[in-house]
Amino acid sequence: MRSLVAVGVSVGLAAAAAVSCTSSQPAGITVFAAASLKTPFTELGEAFEKDHLGTEVAFNFAGSSDLVAQLTQGAPADVFASADTNNMTKAVDAGVVSSVPVDFATNTLTIVAPPGNPKNITTFADLGDPGIQVVICAPQVPCGSATERVEEAAGVTLTPVSEERSVTDVLGKITSGQADAGLVYVTDAKGAGHKVTTIAFPESADAANTYPIAALKNAVHPTAAQQFVNFVSGPRGREALAAAGFASP
C-alpha cells in the first residue's frame, strides 16, 4: 500500500512511464476511512492488493466529519467509510457518493484509563466526578455524538478537559498520560492492549454506531472502488473486522 504522500510520487512516475510504454497503469484507489478503522483496513488493503494484482490502495484516516468536509470541498477519493450513518448521509446529500452505502460493522464505546486505573474508575458516573480529568470526542465526530447519547442514557453530564477531532486522538491523550480517563471505541481499546486499562459500562449499549461504506462519484477507478466496497462488506472483511473487535451490523 501507499501513503497519500506517496500517491503523488507514484502518479508522477506513472505519467513518465506512459511516454515510453503503452502498458496499462495500476488501478490505484484512495480510501477515506474513519480513524477507528485504521488497523483492520490496513490489513484489508494489503489483502485486497494481493487479490487484485495491479491495484494499489492508499488510505486517508481521520475523523468522519473531517473526511466529509474534505470530500465536499473536492478532495479526490474513490471510497468513503464512515464511523456513523449521519456523516455518510451528509456525503450522500452533498452528491459525492455514487452507490448505495453498505453497512459493514458496528462499534460501541468503552472507558479507558492509564494502566492500573489510578483513579479507580468503575462506572460511567465516575467520569462526572470533578476530580477526574476526562477526554472525549467533539460532538460532530461519531464517537462524540455517541458520547452524548450515553450521557443522556446515564443521566450524567461530563465536563471534559478536551474534545478531540478523532477517537485516536482521545486514545493518545490517555496513553501519553495527559488525562485520567477517556471514551473510545472498544476496538481502539483492544488495539491499545496493555497501554490502557479498559472499563466496560452498560450504558454503552445505548450508543452503538453503525459503519457504512460506499464508492464515490468522482472515483478515478470506479470498478476497483466498488470491488473494495464488496471486499470490506464480504467474508474477508467481516473476518478482519471481527478480529479487531467490531460487531456485525
Side-chain angles (χ1 to χ4, degrees):
M1 285 179 297
R2 301 169 294 172
S3 67
L4 286 180
V5 174
V7 172
V9 176
S10 298
V11 171
L13 291 175
V19 175
S20 58
C21 179
T22 59
S23 62
S24 60
Q25 298 179 14
I29 61 172
T30 299
V31 178
F32 277 34
S36 53
L37 291 167
K38 184 172 184 178
T39 296
F41 265 38
T42 299
E43 176 186 334
L44 287 171
E46 294 172 350
F48 184 82
E49 289 178 346
K50 290 179 181 178
D51 287 357
H52 300 76
L53 296 179
T55 300
E56 297 182 342
V57 184
F59 290 104
N60 177 20
F61 294 107
S64 297
S65 59
D66 288 341
L67 294 175
V68 170
Q70 292 173 35
L71 290 172
T72 56
Q73 290 168 12
D78 301 88
V79 176
F80 174 45
S82 174
D84 68 347
T85 55
N86 182 49
N87 279 289
M88 180 60 78
T89 298
K90 290 180 182 179
V92 171
D93 291 345
V96 300
V97 173
S98 66
S99 63
V100 176
V102 178
D103 295 339
F104 65 94
T106 61
N107 213 348
T108 54
L109 295 176
T110 191
I111 300 168
V112 288
N117 189 13
K119 293 291 186 175
N120 296 315
I121 296 164
T122 59
T123 68
F124 183 81
D126 289 341
L127 301 184
D129 187 323
I132 303 294
Q133 292 188 320
V134 182
V135 179
I136 64 175
C137 288
Q140 64 269 30
V141 182
C143 58
S145 61
T147 298
E148 290 184 329
R149 298 199 301 274
V150 170
E151 289 180 273
E152 182 177 352
V156 176
T157 300
L158 303 181
T159 306
V161 294
S162 71
E163 295 182 343
E164 303 299 323
R165 298 290 300 180
S166 74
V167 67
T168 51
D169 291 336
V170 174
L171 187 65
K173 291 282 188 179
I174 304 304
T175 57
S176 62
Q178 298 181 60
D180 301 319
L183 285 167
V184 302
Y185 293 122
V186 294
T187 53
D188 295 282
K190 181 176 181 179
H194 67 277
K195 295 179 181 179
V196 299
T197 294
T198 301
I199 304 103
F201 59 98
E203 295 90 348
S204 65
D206 296 305
N209 275 4
T210 297
Y211 286 54
I213 186 171
L216 299 176
K217 193 163 290 184
N218 292 330
V220 176
H221 299 287
T223 298
Q226 189 58 50
Q227 287 174 337
F228 186 81
V229 170
N230 297 341
F231 190 73
V232 168
S233 57
R236 183 66 183 84
R238 290 195 297 271
E239 179 183 350
L241 289 160
F246 288 88
S248 298

